[in-house]
Amino acid sequence: AVVDLLYWRDIKRTGVVFGASLFLLLSLTVCSIVSVCSYLALALLSVTVTFRIYKGVLQAVQKSDEGHPFKAYLESDVALSEELVHKYSDVALSHLNCGLKELRRLFLVEDLVDSLKFAVLMWILTYVGALFNGLTLLILALISVFSIPVIYERHQAQIDHYLGLVNNQVKDIIAKIQAKVPGLKRKAE
């Protein structure tokens, strides 16, 4: 379902999800998260109250006995099962533990090359952080997530060709750097 959403297989559904997500993020740039959540809740409540009153008046005029318009939703089960919560919390815990082990490995310099790569990444992120705030990065990520898969699907051969060329150049540069700087050669695994 997520893949179909990202590849725009169902244009209406993808458009709604993309538009609502982008609207939410753009709203957060203007207002605080408390205000945005309150406005969204008020808008939803306004729609449901208006619809409920409309259906009530319609039932009174037509003298029908249709019942509550949201009865099916009120009777549906919305509780989370313990198994589902345990499943996702176990997955989150394993990812958290894996991340903590990797950070420990990087900060305590188990492998000098990996720690230096991490240091360069953090140095680059300081410049990214100076240019963009986190919300702007989320907006750019959302637009990328909904556009890059479609672009890649349409131009896969050309993109793969150029990525292969870039990958070979990067490998050559890393090999040259590792050969010239003592202590940067990776351990044989």
Side-chain angles (χ1 to χ4, degrees), residues 124-145:
I124 291 170
L125 286 180
T126 62
Y127 286 103
V128 171
L131 295 173
F132 304 106
N133 66 16
L135 206 49
T136 306
L137 290 175
L138 282 175
I139 292 169
L140 291 173
L142 178 73
I143 292 170
S144 298
V145 161

Side-chain angles (χ1 to χ4, degrees), residues 9-25:
R9 303 284 190 247
D10 183 5
I11 293 177
K12 271 187 189 176
R13 204 168 95 195
T14 301
V16 167
V17 170
F18 176 64
S21 303
L22 189 59
F23 178 74
L24 176 69
L25 290 175

Side-chain angles (χ1 to χ4, degrees), residues 66-80:
E66 291 179 19
H68 198 287
F70 300 118
K71 185 174 184 167
Y73 298 111
L74 289 170
E75 292 174 350
S76 67
D77 185 28
V78 293
L80 294 174

